[in-house]
Amino acid sequence: MRKILFILTSIIPHFGLAQNNNAPSTYDPHEIAITGYLQTQYQKAQSAGINSWSGGDFAKNSDERFMIRRGRLKIDRADKFSSIVFQIDATQNGLTLMDAFIQFHQPNSKDLRFTVGLFNRPFGYSIVYSSGYRDFPERARVFQTLMPRERDIGAMISYHPSKLKFINGDLAVVNGSGHTARDYDSKKDIIGNLGFRFDSLVNKKLHVSFGGSAYAGSVRSDTESFFSYENGRYIKNTGAHNVNWYAKRNYYGLNIQLQYDNNFGATSLKAEYIAGRQPGVASSSAITGFAASTSFVAQPATDLYLRDFSGYYFWLTQKIANSKFTAIMAFDMYDPNRQISDAEIGLDSDTSAGDIKFSTIGYGLTYLLNPRLKLTLYNENIVNDNTLMPQYTADVKDDVFTARLQYRW
């Protein structure tokens, strides 16, 4: 009996913390703990060689593939005032470092936690939430574009008061160049996040959490010109002083999560909105499609394009009664340049595929074979705005079906 109680008290805090990537498996003092998950999947695309946010672009002559989407191995250790987390990702593409950070706090309190190293950017909800627990195969297009691979290198202070468990906050200073890159300029980016959580409302059936986030950063210009969108067209700004000039990279976001435990099964709705300014470049033969508006991991070599963007997602899940099935449905939108209409894209040479809005409707089903093994069947219908650009005058055939098997330990 004593052994069973020990196992339960070990598993319960581990389960709660494991959903947040910026934490060890448990803060209770322990020697080396090894956790992780493996995601192997089959995918069928609507056309060969498409650009895709569903695990990366398809090869030039391929419209279907088997792949290891994620192969995570996490090692952590904790004592009474500090912890360390080290996580790698092993796939067919090789071995990648995902997390490597040290956390410390006062021996008698974990209210204030200090983190240094490589960690998830503390922005919003979906960035920090572990892919091993997420119901949907991938994060929304807007977050994959703005914060590729979710992580960055820096330092963070977190406030999680034990007496006010409904509130938490994070403030981080990071390089801004992502988790696989060395910083390419002298500026640092600042990220702030404030969240609230209220469980067991309405006869303990309703669970509500919400929050807001801000990102204040910059991108260095290496050329004498940059483009800003004004009065319905791009304006070229030229001058020697633009070399070593820093364009603002600012985001703000809001998020909310609702769960209602009903007789039919738990119903969950999660939504997140983000908007701001993203310095990008123009698409070209080397930078195709939506890659023109992604965040940089190295100094951009061409002129910067300053775009005001917006994006959001809705995730709806419905557990089907007491079965092991859960129905899932999602909608997300990313508009990299909300000041321009689809009919204006392609009118002149300054507009490019980096200005096109994309929307995605996703739907599917998950089946929990056992507490560790989950099957996901998911289809994505991806729609782009029709423009005057030759390759985007109609919707590109880039829908993707995914069948994934995940094992978590």
Side-chain angles (χ1 to χ4, degrees), residues 167-288:
I167 188 172
N168 66 82
D170 304 283
L171 182 65
V173 180
V174 298
N175 284 338
S177 51
H179 91 295
T180 60
R182 297 178 180 178
D183 201 1
Y184 59 83
D185 60 36
S186 298
K187 299 284 187 178
K188 296 294 175 283
D189 295 357
I190 299 174
I191 311 171
N193 181 64
L194 185 62
F196 302 87
R197 182 181 181 90
F198 300 94
D199 286 323
S200 303
L201 305 174
V202 189
N203 297 322
K204 299 183 178 181
K205 292 184 177 181
L206 179 64
H207 314 279
V208 180
S209 57
F210 56 90
S213 303
Y215 187 111
S218 59
V219 175
R220 180 184 175 276
S221 171
D222 201 41
T223 69
E224 293 187 353
S225 300
F226 71 91
F227 289 80
S228 56
Y229 198 82
E230 302 172 23
N231 301 319
R233 64 189 182 95
Y234 276 112
I235 303 296
K236 187 174 183 178
N237 305 271
T238 301
H241 60 278
N242 290 329
V243 178
N244 207 35
W245 171 72
Y246 286 85
K248 290 184 178 180
R249 175 192 178 191
N250 293 341
Y251 317 150
Y252 61 88
L254 298 171
N255 66 87
I256 187 169
Q257 301 83 47
L258 304 171
Q259 179 177 314
Y260 185 69
D261 303 326
N262 50 67
N263 294 332
F264 186 70
T267 304
S268 173
L269 175 64
K270 300 173 182 178
E272 197 159 358
Y273 173 82
I274 182 172
R277 170 156 289 192
Q278 173 76 342
V281 295
S283 63
S284 63
S285 57
I287 303 174
T288 58

